[in-house]
Amino acid sequence: MSDAASTYSTVVVGTDGSESSLRAVGRAGALAGACGATLVIACAYLPVDDGDRDLARAQDVLGDEAYQVVGSHPAEDTVRDAADRARAAGAKDVRTVAVVGSPVEALLDVVRRESADLLVVGNRGLNGIKGRLLGSVPADATRRSQCDVLVVHTTD
């Protein structure tokens, strides 16, 4: 094990349940397992508001590129499935958390609360007009994180 890998004690990875984000979870699980780190898997979600037509419309427009999970139950299901993937990849100490908020804010909040020394994100960002409107989780998280960031190549 390299000196760099052995310095990580708490790794945070975000997931929205997409196959791309689960690839990042798998890599984070393997890394956490290799260096004996705690892996914290986070999923950001928005509370359910039946009257929020704008959100529903945005999700319809974005389709597969919608990275915001709505509701705590789907978020909890998402992190539970992700934890299974992380354990299969080698992670031994896995915790999960569902956090209300936007993906970047939620991830950075978890990093701060957990005193994480590594944040793992997938490289899948939003291109074109959707990316300019919503921003890119990998780019924003990388720019704003106070700890090391590993960007995992998760796209084909």
Side-chain angles (χ1 to χ4, degrees):
M1 176 169 28
S2 73
D3 290 340
S6 65
T7 63
Y8 297 122
S9 60
T10 304
V11 177
V12 170
V13 63
T15 184
D16 60 7
S18 66
E19 185 53 39
S20 173
S21 73
L22 289 173
R23 288 183 192 141
V25 167
R27 294 295 289 278
L31 178 65
C35 60
T38 298
L39 178 64
V40 180
I41 303 171
C43 179
Y45 72 93
L46 293 177
V48 176
D49 179 356
D50 294 335
D52 197 343
R53 280 184 235 123
D54 289 338
L55 178 62
R57 213 175 5 246
Q59 287 179 313
D60 287 342
V61 169
L62 290 172
D64 290 342
E65 293 186 24
Y67 58 84
Q68 183 67 65
V69 176
V70 178
S72 62
H73 290 300
E76 290 162 7
D77 291 344
T78 296
V79 292
R80 189 170 33 255
D81 293 344
D84 292 342
R85 171 130 357 161
R87 286 185 188 100
K92 291 166 188 54
D93 182 10
V94 180
R95 293 199 322 263
T96 61
V97 61
V99 184
V100 174
S102 69
V104 173
E105 295 302 326
L107 279 176
L108 296 176
D109 182 51
V110 172
V111 164
R112 279 188 295 271
R113 283 192 321 213
E114 298 289 337
S115 299
D117 34 35
L118 180 65
L119 171 62
V120 178
V121 294
N123 71 328
R124 180 179 174 218
L126 297 174
N127 299 323
I129 188 71
K130 294 172 185 173
R132 287 194 293 276
L133 289 173
L134 297 174
S136 164
V137 171
D140 291 349
T142 301
R143 185 173 54 253
R144 296 178 50 202
S145 179
Q146 298 297 311
C147 68
D148 289 355
V149 178
L150 172 63
V151 179
V152 177
H153 184 79
T154 60
T155 52
D156 294 328

